[in-house]
Amino acid sequence: MSVHTIVLLPGAIGFEADGQTSILHAAESAGIELPSSCRNGTCRTCICRVRSGEARHLIEWPSLSFDEKREGWILPCVAVAESRLELEAPLARRVVFD
Ligand code: FES
């Protein structure tokens, strides 16, 4: 199974994800918080944009328009990495535990 590095911009927050775990879940497992709500590709709360690399949606009809897909927008709750990825995710932050 391939493991890919994902970098969230502009903060350059990095983590790793395999090709089967959603990007959102992999981020959370690495202690990174991203906006989310439905977690099934409907609400668009988690929307972010691919700056480089390849991602693939796990569902056939994520809540994105054709133009949004063409422009690189993805829903990381239902998408996986297929290569090293750089994502524009300005609201991402590392969760700090006391
Ligand atoms: S959390 Fe709702 S579309 Fe991703």
Side-chain angles (χ1 to χ4, degrees):
M1 180 186 321
S2 301
V3 175
H4 304 293
T5 299
I6 300 175
V7 179
L8 304 175
L9 302 171
I13 301 170
F15 62 101
E16 300 207 322
D18 62 43
Q20 297 179 328
T21 305
S22 75
I23 294 166
L24 177 64
H25 185 75
E28 291 172 342
S29 296
I32 298 163
E33 187 175 273
L34 288 168
S36 69
S37 182
C38 72
R39 309 174 77 89
N40 64 18
T42 303
C43 73
R44 298 167 52 96
T45 302
C46 64
I47 192 169
C48 63
R49 193 171 191 175
V50 175
R51 186 178 289 181
S52 70
E54 296 293 326
R56 174 176 58 87
H57 284 105
L58 297 168
I59 62 174
E60 195 167 348
W61 300 104
S63 186
L64 294 168
S65 70
F66 177 80
D67 285 343
E68 287 172 327
K69 289 181 192 172
R70 192 169 41 92
E71 293 166 0
W73 295 97
I74 64 166
L75 300 175
C77 67
V78 289
V80 295
E82 295 208 300
S83 71
R84 184 183 194 278
L85 275 179
E86 289 186 340
L87 300 178
E88 295 173 11
L91 298 179
R93 66 182 188 97
R94 278 202 188 279
V95 178
V96 178
F97 298 102
D98 291 332

